[in-house]
Amino acid sequence: MEAKAVARHIRVTPMKARRVVNLIRGKQANEALAILKFAPQSASEPVYKVVASALANARVKADQLSVAFNENDVVVSEAFVDEGPTMKRFQPRAQGRAYRINKRTSHITVVVATPQNEEVR
C-alpha cells in the first residue's frame, strides 16, 4: 500500500529543503520522524509535517481497504523537493539603485509505502 502527501508553496529554499529530505529517504517512517524532530535545520519542521501527513494518509487508506496497518512496517519510498514560485522583492541600494531579493518557495512531496509495495515497483 502506498500513500502520498504534498506541501506546496513552503517558504524555504529548495536547496535547503533537499538537504533535509536526503536524510530520510529510504528510512522507516518512525525513524524518519525521529531524525526530523532533532535535525537542526529550519526546513526539518515542514518536512516533518509532510512525513506525518503521509503516514496518516496511509493509516486512513488502510482503514478504507480493511487492511491491517503497522506503522513500523512503513518506509519512506520517495521524497523529493521541487521548486515553487519565486517572490521577487527589491531592496534600495546606494545612488538610487535597487537590489533584487529572491524569496524562493518549495513543493515538498513524500510517498510512504509498505515493503511488499517496494518489491513490486
Side-chain angles (χ1 to χ4, degrees):
M1 180 183 43
E2 195 173 84
K4 176 178 163 182
V6 181
R8 294 172 49 86
H9 306 290
I10 303 299
R11 260 296 284 124
V12 65
T13 64
M15 255 178 127
K16 292 177 183 177
R18 284 185 191 116
R19 283 180 51 207
V20 174
V21 166
N22 289 339
L23 293 172
I24 62 160
R25 193 177 292 119
K27 300 234 182 338
Q28 285 187 339
N30 288 336
E31 184 184 351
L33 290 173
I35 290 169
L36 292 170
K37 193 172 197 80
F38 298 106
Q41 293 88 354
S42 63
S44 62
E45 183 189 351
V47 175
Y48 179 92
K49 288 182 177 181
V50 176
V51 173
S53 178
L55 194 58
N57 291 344
R59 192 177 302 113
V60 168
K61 198 171 186 179
D63 286 345
Q64 288 175 346
L65 298 174
S66 299
V67 178
F69 182 74
N70 187 1
E71 282 189 15
N72 297 327
D73 293 342
V74 181
V75 176
V76 178
S77 60
E78 285 181 60
F80 55 90
V81 178
D82 294 324
E83 192 170 341
T86 302
M87 297 186 286
K88 295 166 181 78
R89 302 292 182 258
F90 292 95
Q91 183 176 13
R93 301 302 279 183
Q95 298 179 0
R97 292 183 176 89
Y99 178 73
R100 189 162 90 177
I101 296 173
N102 293 324
K103 296 189 178 235
R104 301 181 189 277
T105 61
S106 303
H107 301 322
I108 303 168
T109 305
V110 174
V111 178
V112 294
T114 52
Q116 63 265 21
N117 245 16
E118 287 286 313
E119 295 166 6
V120 173
R121 297 180 83 223

